[in-house]
Amino acid sequence: MQSFGPYLLGFVAIGVALFGLNTARKLFRQVDAVEVDNEKVADIGQQIQDGAMAFLRAEYRVLSVFVVVVAGLLVVATASWQTPVAFLLGAISSVAAGFAGMRAATTANTRTAMAANRSGAGAALLVAYNGGAVMGLCVGGLGLLGIAVMYMVWGHSLDSVQYISGFGMGASSIALFARVGGGIYTKAADVGADLVGKIEAGIPEDDPRNPGVIADNVGDNVGDVAGMGADIFESFVGSIIASIVLGATITASTSGLMFPEGHILTSADRATLMALPVLLALVGFGSSMVGIASMNWLKNSEPAGALRNTTLIGAGLFWVLSFIVLGIFGFPFEPLYAVIVGSIVGILIGLATEYYTSTDKVLGVQTKAVQRIADASKTGPATNAITGLAVGMESVFLPLILITIGIYWSNHAAGLYGIAMAAMGMLATVGVTMTVDAYGPVADNAGGISEMGGLGEDTRKITDSLDSIGNTTAAIGKGFAIGSAALTALALFAAYSSEINRIRLLNNSTEGPLSLELTEPLVVIGLLIGGALPFLVAAMTMTSVGKAAGQMVEEIRRQFREIPGLLEGDPNAKPDSARCVEISTTAALREMILPGLIAVIAPVICGVVLGPAALGGLLAGATATGVLMALFMATAGGAWDNAKKAIEQGKIEGEKKGTDAHSAAVIGDTIGDPFKDTSGPSLNILIKLMSIVALVIVPMIA
Amino acid sequence: MQSFGPYLLGFVAIGVALFGLNTARKLFRQVDAVEVDNEKVADIGQQIQDGAMAFLRAEYRVLSVFVVVVAGLLVVATASWQTPVAFLLGAISSVAAGFAGMRAATTANTRTAMAANRSGAGAALLVAYNGGAVMGLCVGGLGLLGIAVMYMVWGHSLDSVQYISGFGMGASSIALFARVGGGIYTKAADVGADLVGKIEAGIPEDDPRNPGVIADNVGDNVGDVAGMGADIFESFVGSIIASIVLGATITASTSGLMFPEGHILTSADRATLMALPVLLALVGFGSSMVGIASMNWLKNSEPAGALRNTTLIGAGLFWVLSFIVLGIFGFPFEPLYAVIVGSIVGILIGLATEYYTSTDKVLGVQTKAVQRIADASKTGPATNAITGLAVGMESVFLPLILITIGIYWSNHAAGLYGIAMAAMGMLATVGVTMTVDAYGPVADNAGGISEMGGLGEDTRKITDSLDSIGNTTAAIGKGFAIGSAALTALALFAAYSSEINRIRLLNNSTEGPLSLELTEPLVVIGLLIGGALPFLVAAMTMTSVGKAAGQMVEEIRRQFREIPGLLEGDPNAKPDSARCVEISTTAALREMILPGLIAVIAPVICGVVLGPAALGGLLAGATATGVLMALFMATAGGAWDNAKKAIEQGKIEGEKKGTDAHSAAVIGDTIGDPFKDTSGPSLNILIKLMSIVALVIVPMIA
């Protein structure tokens, strides 16, 4: 092993990141150049974009207060200016990625609809994909840029490496608020619009008469694009930071096969381990760009395959290039085994969750879960709900086992460092996986716009087909998101524990190394409290959706009642969509505060009052139940949704749209809405944010 | 401190236990002597008793195979004959308590109805209470008897104390099967009878035309009496066994204030700590008998107060007597502080869960949770379900904090031993708390029998009032059940870890003391798998209820269709109740096997394949999520139930029976049925059974 020049590596990474961001700019121009020559489409698109950007601005205004206050507190808590500065940079990068992606997505949605209308499926696919790619390249590029800067300034030196955790904390904070706020926004609008529109008034989804439809379409962008982008940005930088901190702190006994037992790690060893994550992120981002570019050649092949192939090209290239680069520069190979273990486990988790949420065969095995829910709908909403909840609870087991297998083998290869590397394996090609993820809501939105803009049956058919591909291809992305959240949280937790010991050693503390023995009552107390936090946050976010949806229902009912001719379709009667957008915005901003604060404050209080051992327990407990609850809620929600779709598509014998079983399935789907789009995804971020807050406050509590 | 003659203590305990069992026999005679001079009531009562006893016999027949096989395996696993013998005795004692209590409850139900009909509320209260007291005295008496025997034979000596865990494992195994089987039985019948009877056919609850009504009433006994009895029996002996094993194995550093740091525990110290739990159980059972007897003087006071006062008399006497007895015999007082902490925490947990499930004020604070669910019902079943789930998730937090406070202070007082003592504090007066718990289903059944037997409005009013008291007073019992399950599981977990170290030391093993560091990947792997098991078991039991209820629905529909005149009320048309009883029985017996086996086998596989550290993690993870899920499911179910009742009782403005909001609330209630009566309660036992299995197999894996 040899040390690698940190500045050279940093500058190369910055260069590649900037190249990627410039590509994003070019792709955006390309998308923007597609002409929108339908006035109605342009108008609707403008309303959606205005609503979405207005929400983002309002959200970031609220968060700027939070960010400034927390930065101030960090000055006190860490007795440094570096951590707060890193925190601010992390937050700003996440915000920038969110803005850019949102702008692109709300530009690409109308263009996709127009391309489908004018030039057919291939052109529409390319526009939607490139819209997603702007988000993917921004998330990957800004992540790599931030990490490279952090690495060059503080992250390559053992004396200052602790400051970079601030960057992760900034990204995680924004991510949690964006996920919770976006999730509340989108589901309040969705549930509200559906309850009055589809069920009470009996008008179709996305009908322009419904005042909640614009808010619903804004919500898709706010929740799925901005929320998910912040989420993945945070995962990406979180896994890299965990790797770097672990590289700086692990001992030979926790490094798996990498170092022989008893070896004392030299500073050259540590420099290698701290450089490796940056190098892999760089290679991963480069490979992603190739994957994204390959869409230009694949666009006319079968669309689902094209989407999948861009991901596979990116991932395959990443593996091959990593082997070559690591070999050339004399890095150890064990971490790469962990990376590969992580990728494989991520793919398998994706397949496992797909097994529970799909009506089709998965790897040749006929799935049954959705069928069970659809069958249970025949005896009413209660049995539908019971079965959906049971399916969700059951579905946690297989992914959990896969995660533990991932932990086992990545730890075998490279110890605790390997666990962080396994998470990196799922996230290194974030540029292309994020592209595919962001493609989904663009295609979904394009469908809604075609419907509202009256672009006709043929266009709608194309956008529907583009939309349905997105759902299938997202499975792998989902597996990566869940698996990487669990592994990143564990890696951060390990980093927290190593960092406590390192600081104690540095300060010649009289306290011995931190004991996180499960027989210590304080550890158990922390474990139990930590375990309860995901339940509390899930409850709060579900309650918020319920409250906000209730307000939305009342407003839509009022408009149908008070605006003459609206429900009858009088062309002069215009719904007051702006009012609905405002309700969702206000509710989301108000309701996101408390869950976000809990995530930041709980570790601090626990660490200060009960000490670092209890905080360690808290993190472990929160990670365990957080992963379980996130899986439970996401899968149950997805399965309910698809059970309803299965009935609508005539896949369930004797049932179709409008039967009692279908009504029961619609109820199940509505229960699942906050499960899968608000509470579930929030928990993935919650556990990482708590871990990184703990890591940041180590100087205060060690 | 002085050693206490173990044989003297044992014989006194046996004497008191036998005295209590004899009292139970007398009370049973007293209840049985109440004349049933109404043919219809006698017939219905007979059907219920026959159904219940037939189920118990069938269940115990299935379990006898399991018990014999496991006993055989234990011979191999523990390389001893003592553990398997203790296991058999534990299982047999639990079965005996179940049989006796069931017999009493199914005798008292008709007698309560007749007493209400003939002699009014006071007499009916006494009959129902005494019926419950038979169960209470059997559970307490058989528990004390078994523990006393175990203590005299093996439990007082450091060389053989490990064998007594077998007794706990026997009791826990029967308890889990009884809870799961009983829970599936009762909810399949309840959900099935309600779905067809109340919703489809529009006939009232407990209507004799409904073929599922007898099965429903049998189910109340099978689930609430036998299931709960086995559950509490298991908790009681589990907490005592954990205390004794910890007394034999703790070191001064894990004994709180009891011993100064660095003190080496003498065998006299250990003898004291091992005798203390038996002594407290003895005092507690004696105090319970006084509490039960006090009902003779209290029966004509206000019934709810009378019930509560018998509990308080028992508990108060227990505290006072314990202080005196401990003082006389020179025992340390620190464990008693832990006992008192446990009692207080148990009561507070009861109040906290009541806060989330009651419509009335709790300690002067107006509750809101049930109101929120009832309000959400106005916008339909989906919002009802979302709100109920949110309430359930939210409700875990306060009890969890209370449990951690209990852990903190009981550990402060007497270390890990103190945690076991805190659990004992909630369970020592099990004789009287179980009486109050078993009173509930007796009164409930009496109501159903009055309705079916046509005893008239006045009688029904009395039985309804007796029933509603039972629900309120059960809150404290519920708090004790949840709190003690968590603390007992933790104490058993601590015992497991100490026992591993003791055995390693004895065998001069080259392995050091067991490390359960949360940074060890194997511990984390165990933690995650353990955390997933409660989700899996909850999913299985919910699925089983759904399946069995489906069969019941079809059978009841068939009978209404095929038996001429049945639905119209033709007196010659008799429903085939036996067929419904059979469906519930078969389903319960078939479906209880797998969850039960998982609980027993999972720790063994984990311990053997991944080793004792992973098994430690598994227990901690299962305890954390098991407690959380049990609280979530129990509270959500109770809150849904009471939201429906609040609408029916006109407590929700503008709503009553028959409105859309009421229908939505009925759906929520049905979702909650398996939550609160099948899956939730099963999880409390699951975590203890897994812990005790781990403790038993220590010799195999240490």
Side-chain angles (χ1 to χ4, degrees):
Chain A
M1 289 186 217
Q2 58 175 44
S3 171
F4 193 89
Y7 293 101
L8 177 61
L9 172 60
F11 280 119
V12 173
I14 290 175
V16 173
L18 292 175
F19 178 73
L21 291 171
N22 192 47
T23 310
R25 195 178 58 86
K26 282 193 199 153
L27 281 179
F28 178 73
R29 288 220 178 139
Q30 216 170 301
V31 169
D32 197 36
V34 176
E35 204 186 338
V36 181
D37 52 5
N38 176 311
E39 204 180 309
K40 212 163 172 187
V41 168
D43 176 48
I44 294 165
Q46 197 62 47
Q47 283 191 58
I48 295 175
Q49 188 167 56
D50 289 351
M53 298 314 276
F55 174 72
L56 269 203
R57 274 191 299 271
E59 181 177 60
Y60 291 151
R61 211 174 310 127
V62 173
L63 290 187
S64 63
V65 178
F66 167 85
V67 165
V68 169
V69 170
V70 170
L73 293 174
L74 283 178
V75 174
V76 182
T78 65
S80 76
W81 59 267
Q82 294 92 332
T83 302
V85 167
F87 171 79
L88 287 172
L89 289 176
I92 291 168
S93 309
S94 173
V95 165
F99 257 123
M102 180 68 100
R103 188 68 204 271
T106 54
T107 303
N109 54 6
T110 49
R111 273 76 181 172
T112 303
M114 295 314 300
N117 186 245
R118 263 198 311 264
S119 328
L125 174 65
L126 190 62
V127 174
Y129 188 86
N130 284 343
V134 175
M135 184 84 188
L137 289 169
C138 284
V139 164
L142 286 167
L144 182 60
L145 181 66
I147 285 294
V149 171
M150 287 293 118
Y151 172 72
M152 282 169 67
V153 181
W154 296 308
H156 69 279
S157 154
L158 292 177
D159 300 327
S160 54
V161 65
Q162 68 269 25
Y163 302 132
I164 66 168
S165 315
F167 190 82
M169 182 175 160
S172 290
S173 306
I174 298 297
L176 185 64
F177 285 107
R179 251 307 183 198
V180 172
I184 294 171
Y185 189 114
T186 180
K187 287 302 121 178
D190 187 11
V191 173
D194 281 0
L195 279 181
V196 188
K198 279 206 285 191
I199 298 180
E200 291 181 14
I203 57 179
E205 185 147 3
D206 291 330
D207 189 293
R209 286 170 288 176
N210 193 331
V213 161
I214 295 287
D216 188 9
N217 277 279
V218 172
D220 287 347
N221 289 293
V222 163
D224 289 349
V225 179
M228 191 199 290
D231 187 344
I232 292 183
F233 181 82
E234 179 271 341
S235 302
F236 180 52
V237 303
S239 72
I240 300 174
I241 286 171
S243 308
I244 296 177
V245 174
L246 281 171
T249 51
I250 54 161
T251 59
S253 68
T254 58
S255 73
L257 298 176
M258 247 188 331
F259 299 102
E261 184 80 35
H263 172 87
I264 308 265
L265 271 74
T266 63
S267 48
D269 291 335
R270 296 207 183 278
T272 305
L273 296 182
M274 291 155 78
L276 186 54
V278 183
L279 183 62
L280 289 178
L282 164 61
V283 174
F285 186 65
S287 309
S288 292
M289 283 197 281
V290 177
I292 292 171
S294 68
M295 184 48 107
N296 282 305
W297 297 281
L298 295 169
K299 66 184 172 200
N300 290 322
S301 63
E302 184 259 321
L307 236 63
R308 196 182 318 115
N309 288 337
T310 62
T311 316
L312 293 182
I313 289 171
L317 199 61
F318 167 62
W319 290 6
V320 174
L321 284 181
S322 297
F323 261 107
I324 296 171
V325 172
L326 262 55
I328 291 176
F329 294 104
F331 279 87
F333 279 110
E334 290 86 354
L336 197 56
Y337 302 148
V339 164
I340 292 172
V341 166
S343 308
I344 294 171
V345 165
I347 292 169
L348 292 177
I349 293 174
L351 290 172
T353 56
E354 212 187 335
Y355 175 80
Y356 281 101
T357 54
S358 163
T359 41
D360 305 317
K361 288 189 182 177
V362 174
L363 290 185
V365 181
Q366 184 56 51
T367 64
K368 281 187 201 141
V370 172
Q371 177 80 38
R372 268 164 58 196
I373 299 175
D375 284 340
S377 308
K378 295 179 186 177
T379 37
T383 39
N384 166 290
I386 292 175
T387 312
L389 290 165
V391 163
M393 289 181 191
E394 190 184 319
S395 74
V396 307
F397 201 69
L398 207 51
L400 241 284
I401 296 291
L402 290 167
I403 290 172
T404 59
I405 293 173
I407 294 172
Y408 186 88
W409 286 110
S410 56
N411 175 67
H412 180 75
L416 297 173
Y417 185 78
I419 294 175
M421 283 286 136
M424 268 215 70
M426 305 182 191
L427 294 162
T429 53
V430 73
V432 63
T433 48
M434 176 80 233
T435 298
V436 174
D437 280 342
Y439 158 91
V442 170
D444 186 12
N445 243 246
I449 289 170
S450 312
E451 177 76 29
M452 288 185 280
L455 293 184
E457 195 68 19
D458 289 348
T459 308
R460 181 76 215 220
K461 209 172 260 170
I462 292 175
T463 57
D464 275 358
S465 76
L466 293 181
D467 186 14
S468 71
I469 310 160
N471 290 334
T472 322
T473 324
I476 292 176
K478 221 182 272 175
F480 279 12
I482 295 163
S484 67
L487 295 178
T488 304
L490 287 174
L492 288 168
F493 166 69
Y496 159 78
S497 155
S498 320
E499 182 67 10
I500 292 254
N501 292 335
R502 195 180 70 101
I503 298 251
R504 282 187 177 172
L505 215 62
L506 272 180
N507 300 346
N508 293 316
S509 161
T510 52
E511 312 241 10
L514 179 64
S515 165
L516 293 176
E517 280 286 334
L518 276 172
T519 46
E520 289 286 329
L522 277 176
V523 174
V524 172
I525 287 173
L527 187 81
L528 291 174
I529 298 178
L533 286 174
F535 282 79
L536 188 64
V537 169
M540 289 175 137
T541 46
M542 282 173 69
T543 305
S544 300
V545 170
K547 273 204 285 189
Q551 291 179 299
M552 189 65 81
V553 164
E554 279 168 32
E555 173 61 22
I556 299 176
R557 280 182 186 161
R558 186 193 67 74
Q559 292 198 22
F560 278 150
R561 206 171 48 231
E562 296 180 5
I563 300 177
L566 177 60
L567 200 50
E568 292 74 31
D570 181 343
N572 293 322
K574 275 215 151 200
D576 184 1
S577 300
R579 179 79 197 100
C580 293
V581 168
E582 202 186 309
I583 288 175
S584 259
T585 304
T586 317
L589 295 182
R590 186 184 61 227
E591 303 282 336
M592 76 181 179
I593 306 287
L594 199 56
L597 285 184
I598 286 178
V600 177
I601 291 173
V604 179
I605 293 181
C606 180
V608 171
V609 176
L610 298 172
L615 179 50
L618 183 101
L619 300 180
T623 302
T625 60
V627 171
L628 289 163
M629 289 290 284
L631 277 166
F632 158 49
M633 298 185 89
T635 317
W640 266 315
D641 188 0
N642 283 334
K644 181 198 68 173
K645 286 189 183 143
I647 291 180
E648 288 172 356
Q649 292 161 358
K651 288 182 182 170
I652 307 300
E653 217 194 299
E655 303 296 341
K656 58 172 199 246
K657 220 168 178 165
T659 61
D660 283 349
H662 181 248
S663 307
V666 169
I667 290 169
D669 178 36
T670 312
I671 302 174
D673 269 337
F675 264 53
K676 71 175 193 297
D677 292 322
T678 313
S679 307
S682 304
L683 297 179
N684 278 334
I685 309 176
L686 175 78
I687 59 180
K688 285 179 283 179
L689 177 53
M690 297 212 309
S691 302
I692 210 156
V693 170
L695 185 56
V696 166
I697 62 166
V698 162
M700 188 165 70
I701 60 172
Chain B
M1 289 184 217
Q2 58 175 46
S3 170
F4 193 89
Y7 292 102
L8 178 61
L9 173 60
F11 279 119
V12 173
I14 290 174
V16 173
L18 291 176
F19 178 73
L21 292 172
N22 191 47
T23 311
R25 196 179 57 87
K26 282 191 200 156
L27 282 178
F28 178 72
R29 288 220 180 139
Q30 218 170 300
V31 169
D32 197 34
V34 176
E35 206 186 337
V36 182
D37 52 5
N38 176 312
E39 203 180 308
K40 211 163 173 187
V41 169
D43 176 47
I44 293 164
Q46 198 61 48
Q47 283 192 57
I48 295 175
Q49 189 167 56
D50 289 351
M53 299 312 280
F55 173 72
L56 270 202
R57 275 192 298 271
E59 182 178 58
Y60 291 150
R61 209 173 312 124
V62 173
L63 291 187
S64 62
V65 178
F66 167 84
V67 164
V68 170
V69 170
V70 171
L73 293 174
L74 283 178
V75 174
V76 183
T78 65
S80 75
W81 59 268
Q82 293 94 331
T83 302
V85 167
F87 171 78
L88 288 173
L89 289 176
I92 292 168
S93 307
S94 174
V95 165
F99 257 123
M102 179 68 99
R103 188 70 204 270
T106 54
T107 303
N109 54 5
T110 49
R111 273 76 180 171
T112 302
M114 295 315 300
N117 187 244
R118 260 199 311 264
S119 328
L125 173 65
L126 190 64
V127 173
Y129 188 85
N130 284 343
V134 176
M135 184 84 187
L137 289 169
C138 285
V139 165
L142 286 168
L144 183 60
L145 182 67
I147 286 294
V149 171
M150 286 295 118
Y151 173 70
M152 281 168 66
V153 181
W154 295 308
H156 69 280
S157 155
L158 293 177
D159 299 327
S160 53
V161 64
Q162 68 270 24
Y163 302 132
I164 66 170
S165 315
F167 190 82
M169 182 174 161
S172 291
S173 306
I174 297 296
L176 185 64
F177 285 107
R179 253 304 184 202
V180 172
I184 294 169
Y185 189 113
T186 180
K187 288 301 120 178
D190 187 11
V191 173
D194 281 1
L195 279 181
V196 187
K198 281 206 285 192
I199 299 180
E200 291 183 11
I203 57 178
E205 186 147 2
D206 291 332
D207 190 293
R209 284 171 287 177
N210 192 331
V213 161
I214 295 287
D216 188 7
N217 277 279
V218 171
D220 287 346
N221 290 291
V222 163
D224 289 348
V225 179
M228 192 201 289
D231 187 343
I232 292 184
F233 182 83
E234 178 271 342
S235 302
F236 181 53
V237 303
S239 72
I240 300 174
I241 286 170
S243 308
I244 297 177
V245 174
L246 281 170
T249 51
I250 53 161
T251 59
S253 68
T254 58
S255 74
L257 298 176
M258 252 191 326
F259 299 101
E261 185 80 33
H263 173 88
I264 308 262
L265 271 74
T266 63
S267 48
D269 291 335
R270 296 208 183 278
T272 305
L273 296 181
M274 289 155 79
L276 187 54
V278 182
L279 183 62
L280 289 177
L282 164 60
V283 174
F285 187 62
S287 309
S288 292
M289 281 197 280
V290 177
I292 292 171
S294 69
M295 182 49 105
N296 282 304
W297 297 280
L298 295 169
K299 66 183 171 201
N300 290 321
S301 64
E302 185 259 320
L307 235 65
R308 197 183 316 116
N309 288 335
T310 62
T311 315
L312 294 181
I313 289 171
L317 198 63
F318 167 61
W319 290 8
V320 174
L321 284 181
S322 297
F323 260 108
I324 296 172
V325 171
L326 262 55
I328 292 176
F329 294 105
F331 278 89
F333 279 111
E334 289 86 354
L336 198 56
Y337 303 147
V339 163
I340 292 172
V341 166
S343 307
I344 294 172
V345 164
I347 291 170
L348 292 177
I349 293 174
L351 290 172
T353 56
E354 213 187 334
Y355 176 80
Y356 281 100
T357 54
S358 164
T359 40
D360 305 318
K361 288 188 180 175
V362 174
L363 290 185
V365 182
Q366 184 56 52
T367 62
K368 281 188 201 138
V370 172
Q371 177 80 38
R372 268 165 57 197
I373 299 175
D375 284 341
S377 309
K378 295 178 185 178
T379 36
T383 41
N384 167 291
I386 291 175
T387 312
L389 290 164
V391 163
M393 289 180 190
E394 191 184 320
S395 76
V396 307
F397 200 69
L398 207 50
L400 241 283
I401 296 292
L402 289 167
I403 290 172
T404 59
I405 292 173
I407 294 172
Y408 187 87
W409 286 109
S410 57
N411 174 67
H412 180 75
L416 297 174
Y417 185 76
I419 294 175
M421 282 286 135
M424 268 216 68
M426 305 182 191
L427 295 163
T429 53
V430 73
V432 64
T433 47
M434 176 79 234
T435 298
V436 173
D437 280 343
Y439 159 91
V442 170
D444 186 12
N445 244 246
I449 289 170
S450 311
E451 179 78 28
M452 286 185 280
L455 292 185
E457 194 70 19
D458 290 347
T459 307
R460 183 76 215 220
K461 211 173 258 169
I462 293 175
T463 55
D464 275 359
S465 75
L466 293 181
D467 186 15
S468 71
I469 312 159
N471 289 336
T472 322
T473 325
I476 293 176
K478 222 182 270 174
F480 280 12
I482 295 163
S484 67
L487 295 179
T488 305
L490 287 173
L492 288 168
F493 166 68
Y496 159 77
S497 155
S498 318
E499 182 67 11
I500 293 255
N501 291 335
R502 195 181 69 100
I503 299 251
R504 283 188 177 170
L505 217 61
L506 271 180
N507 300 347
N508 294 316
S509 161
T510 52
E511 312 244 7
L514 179 63
S515 165
L516 293 176
E517 281 286 335
L518 277 171
T519 44
E520 289 286 328
L522 276 177
V523 175
V524 172
I525 288 173
L527 188 81
L528 291 174
I529 299 177
L533 286 175
F535 283 78
L536 187 64
V537 168
M540 287 175 138
T541 47
M542 282 174 69
T543 306
S544 300
V545 170
K547 271 203 287 188
Q551 291 180 300
M552 189 65 81
V553 164
E554 279 168 31
E555 172 61 21
I556 300 177
R557 281 181 185 163
R558 185 195 66 77
Q559 292 197 21
F560 279 149
R561 205 170 51 230
E562 295 181 4
I563 301 179
L566 177 61
L567 201 49
E568 293 74 31
D570 182 340
N572 294 321
K574 278 214 149 202
D576 184 1
S577 300
R579 180 77 197 101
C580 292
V581 168
E582 200 186 310
I583 287 175
S584 259
T585 304
T586 316
L589 295 181
R590 184 185 60 227
E591 302 282 336
M592 75 181 179
I593 305 288
L594 199 56
L597 285 184
I598 285 178
V600 177
I601 292 173
V604 179
I605 293 180
C606 179
V608 171
V609 177
L610 299 172
L615 178 51
L618 182 102
L619 299 180
T623 302
T625 60
V627 171
L628 288 162
M629 289 291 283
L631 277 165
F632 158 50
M633 300 185 89
T635 317
W640 265 316
D641 188 0
N642 283 333
K644 181 198 68 174
K645 285 188 183 144
I647 292 179
E648 289 172 357
Q649 291 161 0
K651 288 181 181 169
I652 307 300
E653 219 193 298
E655 301 297 343
K656 57 175 200 247
K657 221 167 175 162
T659 61
D660 283 350
H662 181 248
S663 307
V666 169
I667 289 169
D669 179 36
T670 311
I671 301 173
D673 270 337
F675 264 53
K676 71 174 193 298
D677 292 320
T678 312
S679 307
S682 304
L683 297 180
N684 279 333
I685 309 176
L686 175 77
I687 59 180
K688 287 179 283 180
L689 178 53
M690 297 210 313
S691 302
I692 210 155
V693 169
L695 186 55
V696 166
I697 62 167
V698 162
M700 186 166 71
I701 60 174

